[in-house]
Every structure is written in C-alpha cells, then in structure tokens.
Amino acid sequence: MKRDAADTTFPAAAGAEPAVCRQTIDFLGIRVDVLDTGGLCDRVLALARQEGPHRVMYVNADCMLIARHNRAYRQALNRADLVYADGIGVVWGARLWGHDLPGRSTGADFMPAFCRVFAGHGIRLFLLGAREGVADAAARRLVAQAPGLQVVGTHHGYFRPDESEKIVEQVNRLRPHILLVGMGAPCQELWIERYSESLRVPVLWGVGGLFDFLSGRTRRGPQWLLDHGFEWLCRLLVEPRRLWRRYLIGNMQFVYYILRQRYLARDRDG
Ligand code: UDP
C-alpha cells in the first residue's frame, strides 16, 4: 500500500520488524531500492537500531548524470545500503526500462513525519551541512514539528578537508543514531564514503539541500506543482543562476541519455 509522506502513522511508529531484505532494480548502472516513502521510513528506522555504519543515499536525474562520469560517486551509490529515488525523472526513466518504482520520496516532504517516528523511538539526529546557521534553524523547526525529537548537534557544511576529523570526533562524542549530511551530491556521498569507518553512527544519510528547505531559507513552490513532477521548475525559478544549467541542460541530457541507452539495449538484444 502506498503511504503518504505526510502520514504520521507509518507502521514503524507502532514498532515494525527490521526490514532486512532489499528489493532493488538496476537503473543505468545504479542499484535503486524499490520502496515507497513508508517503506523508506521503516528501513531507516531498522538500520538506525542496528550497529552501523549504514549508508543511505538518493538519486535524481542530476545524480544519474554525475554518476555516469564520476566513478567514485557511482561506487559510493552502489555500496550504499539503501538508495531511493528522490526525483520524478528517475521514476519515469525507470518505467521506460520496465521497472516499476512506487514513486519519489523527497526529504522536504517526508522528514517532519519521519522525525515524529524517530522521536517516538528515541532516535538521535545530528545535522551536518548547508550555510552557517541553516542546519540549526532546520533543527529548531523539526523539533517544533516533532516534539521530543533529539537533535544532538549541528554543523555547517563549509569546512576545510582538514577539519573533517574534528567534525567526526564531535559527531562520535554526541552519539547520534542518524547523521544527516546535506552538502549536495556528490560531495556528501564521497564524504560519507571517506569517513564511514571512523564514524560510530548507525545511519549516514545524504540529504542534499534539505536543511535549506526545512529552515525556510529556500522556498519550494506550490504543492500542486511539486506533486505533478515540477519540483525542478520551482527550484529553477527560486535559484535560476545556480540551477539553470542543472535543470535546463541537465534534464535534456538525462532524457537523451536514457533514450540512447534504451535504444542501444534494444539493438543489443536484437
Ligand atoms: N553545501 C555544503 N557545503 C558545500 C557545498 C554545498 O554544505 O561545500 C550545501 C548547500 O549549502 C546546500 C546543499 O549543500 O544546502 C546543496 O544543495 P543542493 O540542492 O544543490 O543539493 P542536491 O540537489 O545535490 O541534493
């Protein structure tokens, strides 16, 4: 059954069994999990209660294009314990290959509801990423929406490579169950990959620009546009200078890429 991101009564809230078995598809060389938003919540909660590190990552059209040329990023995605579709392009593209992904799961939609589940289970979070003060503001809003949620620390995402060890120590000292890393793809996935053995945290989760949205720093656009596959258009209108290349050129490249791969595969299979 499909569950709505805003649904606060995911089975996990009632104490679901840890889900261990992955059902995945191979989409353009990336292993993507077949699960809906409720299933994602169950899985993350199950992973957070086990010894880690478990890596949770997402893919959208932009990520697929980056992964095509960036081997380290592609490997990081394929080594993750869970990879979900956060963009409608991946869902539609996968459909073209005969794979049925239940839909996209977008952090800005589901995170408040997930946090209510986490609060009920005593799951502690640490937020790492975004500009100074943004993760803090996001944490305050999450706690307001999920009373009892424990956010044990935050840190901005603009640090020098030689500061990473200090941040790892700080995170380990505060003992979160889930570290949300919001530094954009592929930076966050490579950081997670690099420090996953030093971090004593059950779940390391790349979340992109989530803190900007949760904090209210970046507007998201009308819900009906978001619900009909136009999140990219809303983002483009809000940040045209930063994102025009990603969406105007990237979306066309992505469509070309999947059609070409499809055509080549058909040719190969006779
Ligand atoms: N960011 C960061 N450190 C950096 C570069 C970016 O913390 O060195 C943050 C940035 O402030 C923003 C997020 O990473 O909050 C990237 O957002 P974007 O929407 O581009 O992520 P994606 O679309 O890749 O998920």
Side-chain angles (χ1 to χ4, degrees):
M1 187 184 77
K2 242 183 182 164
R3 278 161 286 174
D4 184 6
D7 182 359
T8 55
T9 57
F10 296 128
E17 287 300 307
V20 283
C21 191
R22 275 182 90 179
Q23 192 196 340
T24 59
I25 59 162
D26 178 327
F27 179 51
L28 302 171
I30 306 294
R31 192 176 179 200
V32 182
D33 287 76
V34 180
L35 81 185
D36 63 11
T37 306
L40 176 64
C41 185
D42 295 346
R43 287 276 299 284
V44 170
L45 184 65
L47 296 175
R49 294 157 120 185
Q50 298 164 19
E51 213 174 293
H54 301 102
R55 288 162 281 198
V56 177
M57 299 175 184
Y58 62 84
V59 280
N60 53 38
D62 186 45
C63 300
M64 298 302 295
L65 289 173
I66 300 171
R68 187 181 172 198
H69 297 294
N70 187 329
R71 189 156 172 259
Y73 175 49
R74 197 165 59 242
Q75 284 176 341
L77 287 172
N78 282 331
R79 273 204 283 261
D81 298 271
L82 173 50
V83 176
Y84 60 96
D86 109 316
I88 199 69
V90 169
V91 177
W92 288 343
R95 224 164 261 169
L96 209 67
W97 289 77
H99 299 308
D100 197 18
L101 291 176
R104 69 174 189 144
S105 300
T106 303
D109 289 326
F110 66 63
M111 198 50 89
F114 279 28
C115 282
R116 285 191 279 279
V117 174
F118 297 154
H121 285 81
I123 298 291
R124 298 183 293 273
L125 303 186
F126 189 110
L127 275 51
L128 169 64
R131 295 265 167 210
E132 182 81 57
V134 175
D136 245 352
R140 276 197 301 277
R141 286 216 178 170
L142 279 178
V143 171
Q145 292 171 78
L149 179 71
Q150 300 178 61
V151 180
V152 294
T154 65
H155 197 290
H156 66 83
Y158 291 82
F159 50 88
R160 294 190 312 273
D162 65 350
E163 292 175 296
S164 287
E165 302 284 352
K166 212 178 68 203
I167 293 169
V168 168
E169 270 172 36
Q170 184 188 349
V171 171
N172 284 342
R173 210 174 39 246
L174 294 167
R175 299 176 47 244
H177 297 94
I178 300 177
L179 171 63
L180 300 178
V181 186
M183 302 195 294
C187 176
Q188 62 204 8
E189 288 79 9
L190 298 179
W191 193 88
I192 286 173
E193 184 74 6
R194 166 85 178 74
Y195 293 100
S196 61
E197 295 309 321
S198 330
L199 283 159
R200 291 192 296 279
V201 179
V203 174
L204 310 171
W205 186 354
V207 292
L210 176 68
F211 307 147
D212 294 318
F213 294 118
L214 291 180
S215 66
R217 185 176 185 270
T218 304
R219 281 174 296 122
R220 274 193 84 208
Q223 195 61 44
W224 61 273
L225 272 180
L226 305 179
D227 289 344
H228 289 86
F230 290 102
E231 174 114 37
W232 64 272
L233 182 61
C234 299
R235 293 196 67 180
L236 179 63
L237 293 173
V238 173
E239 296 183 89
R241 274 155 60 122
R242 185 171 81 91
L243 297 175
W244 72 269
R245 189 181 295 275
R246 181 190 295 184
Y247 292 123
L248 293 183
I249 297 183
N251 282 0
M252 280 190 297
Q253 282 177 325
F254 181 64
V255 171
Y256 174 72
Y257 177 40
I258 49 180
L259 291 178
R260 186 167 178 274
Q261 293 301 108
R262 190 82 201 101
Y263 176 76
L264 289 176
R266 237 181 234 156
D267 227 28
R268 229 184 4 253
D269 305 339

